[in-house]
Amino acid sequence: MTNNQSNASAASRMDGAAQWSTLNIVLHWFIVGLVAFQYFQGEWMIGFFDGGLENKAMDTATVSFGYLHIATGLIILAAVSVRLWDRLVQGRPPHPELAPNWSTLLARITHVGLYGVLFAMPVIGAITWLTGNEWLGDIHVYGSDVLIGLIALHVLGALVNHFWFKTDIVRRMIPVRVRD
């Protein structure tokens, strides 16, 4: 197989699946839950990080939630990695024909941004924790705002596709047993 044939084969897999794999759907919602958890308990990590830098005594909740934040971030990194691997191997459903080209382009850009931030956040967070670099810590905290903006754009896009363009975008990401 030539390199061009290999690239064409990979491209057809990426947009050739009839539907999302069950693994991809489960990981999508698992990551959503973990990101929501991280967002709402992230303040504990700030206290844990700052307390560690200043050599302060910390209460058990701060330490426990701090370590839980680190562990959850690493789980998110692993889950996103597996989801992208599954997407590469199984492919993804094509973008809906009823949606305009600008909508498809915006969806692709949003997904690249989401995956990029979902990879970068745990990596930057881990480096911050290991090095005590406050500047990277600030980047990590601001990254959560970027992530929330991308998530809002992603949800808005799904809703516009569902209600305005009348596509099956939302239905395709619902687990099969609930959908049928």
Side-chain angles (χ1 to χ4, degrees), residues 148-162:
I148 295 303
L150 288 167
I151 290 169
L153 186 59
H154 178 68
V155 170
L156 179 63
L159 293 174
V160 165
N161 265 280
H162 183 76

Side-chain angles (χ1 to χ4, degrees), residues 92 94-108 110-111 152-172:
R92 65 163 320 283
H95 289 277
E97 292 177 13
L98 297 175
N101 288 340
W102 64 263
S103 172
T104 299
L105 177 62
L106 186 57
R108 288 177 193 255
T110 302
H111 280 102
L153 186 59
H154 178 68
V155 170
L156 179 63
L159 293 174
V160 165
N161 265 280
H162 183 76
F163 291 111
W164 187 271
F165 300 131
K166 308 288 186 203
T167 69
D168 66 343
I169 287 285
V170 172
R171 188 188 61 75
R172 292 192 313 194

Side-chain angles (χ1 to χ4, degrees), residues 35-101:
V35 167
F37 176 76
Q38 289 290 73
Y39 183 77
F40 289 112
Q41 66 92 32
E43 288 297 318
W44 291 98
M45 185 62 205
I46 293 172
F48 185 44
F49 181 75
D50 290 343
L53 285 179
E54 298 165 7
N55 244 357
K56 286 186 180 177
M58 292 175 273
D59 60 275
T60 305
T62 300
V63 173
S64 298
F65 279 111
Y67 279 123
L68 186 58
H69 186 85
I70 294 166
T72 304
L74 295 174
I75 293 168
I76 289 170
L77 181 61
V80 169
S81 298
V82 171
R83 185 161 186 236
L84 278 173
W85 169 82
D86 180 68
R87 183 175 169 162
L88 180 66
V89 171
Q90 300 295 326
R92 65 163 320 283
H95 289 277
E97 292 177 13
L98 297 175
N101 288 340

